[in-house]
Amino acid sequence: MMKTLKNKILISMPSMTDPIFKKSIVYLFEHDINGAAGVIINKDFNSLIFNSSFVEKKIRKPYFDKEVLFGGPVQTETGIVLHDTLNENTASKQLTKTLFFSENRDILRRVNAAKNIQYRIIFGHSAWDSGQLENELKNGDWIAKSINNAFIFNKKLENMWIQALNSISNKLSPGGFS
């Protein structure tokens, strides 16, 4: 049986040449024999594209203040919200005990109104066909790692990749002990 990487992050290695995934961290919310799906959690979305898509959808100004992430090249017109636990019932899908995922636009109002709720707004996602991610892992394009919600929500985007890389650097050094 295949070991799932669901709810782990993928850290792109310095050798990654794909411009979309270079210096990326991807949170995987799906991974099974059919493939994998996740969102890049450390890249700011192009503000021009973001602003025009929100204007078209008539989403009010307060949501413009929140940093918006580019989750990947698939369905970039579709927004999702990763958020931690809300004290009310929502249509959000539970990923872990304390991490949730929603494509419902109403969730933005709810997480914005709630006190101390951490969340990320993400447009687009990343996807791999069956066996594709496993091949990329074998090729050394990515390293998978467990993380907690604090990493997803609290890090400055520009520092996340370096911090993630540093957290695994002992594994990369030949003969290094951790």
Side-chain angles (χ1 to χ4, degrees):
M1 186 175 147
M2 179 184 105
K3 187 176 178 194
T4 184
L5 297 176
K6 183 176 178 177
N7 298 320
K8 294 192 183 312
I9 59 168
L10 298 175
I11 304 162
S12 70
M13 292 294 92
S15 57
M16 172 72 74
T17 57
D18 183 316
I20 291 173
F21 294 108
K22 188 177 183 76
K23 295 186 178 181
S24 287
I25 299 170
V26 177
Y27 174 80
L28 286 180
F29 54 79
E30 291 291 335
H31 182 234
D32 58 28
I33 59 167
N34 299 314
V39 288
I40 298 171
I41 58 170
N42 68 320
K43 295 204 174 181
D44 203 354
F45 204 95
N46 176 312
S47 59
L48 184 67
I49 294 168
F50 166 64
N51 288 337
S52 65
S53 69
F54 267 24
V55 167
E56 285 167 24
K57 292 180 169 95
K58 296 179 175 59
I59 293 178
R60 286 188 254 31
K61 184 74 171 125
Y63 304 120
F64 283 63
D65 300 334
K66 184 73 177 171
E67 194 171 53
V68 174
L69 304 183
F70 170 74
V74 181
Q75 294 181 327
T76 55
E77 71 286 351
T78 303
I80 64 156
V81 178
L82 274 182
H83 63 89
D84 60 11
T85 309
L86 278 170
N87 292 332
E88 56 188 275
N89 287 338
T90 67
S92 298
K93 177 182 176 187
Q94 188 169 1
L95 297 170
T96 68
K97 205 175 237 184
T98 58
L99 187 64
F100 297 80
F101 167 105
S102 180
E103 294 178 290
N104 183 326
R105 196 182 309 167
D106 185 52
I107 199 71
L108 280 176
R109 183 183 53 75
R110 294 169 99 174
V111 294
N112 231 15
K115 298 254 186 286
N116 301 320
I117 294 296
Q118 299 184 96
Y119 64 99
R120 292 275 194 198
I121 302 168
I122 304 168
F123 274 73
H125 70 274
S126 303
W128 291 262
D129 289 332
S130 179
Q132 185 181 3
L133 179 57
E134 290 75 12
N135 287 336
E136 291 179 14
L137 286 159
K138 280 182 202 150
N139 290 340
D141 295 335
W142 303 98
I143 286 192
K145 184 173 178 23
S146 295
I147 48 121
N148 57 26
N149 287 8
F151 183 81
I152 294 171
F153 296 120
N154 296 336
K155 302 290 181 198
K156 290 193 178 345
L157 295 182
E158 60 275 7
N159 299 332
M160 283 176 80
W161 183 73
I162 288 292
Q163 288 174 337
L165 208 55
N166 287 342
S167 77
I168 58 168
S169 63
N170 287 342
K171 293 179 186 171
L172 299 176
S173 322
F177 295 97
S178 47

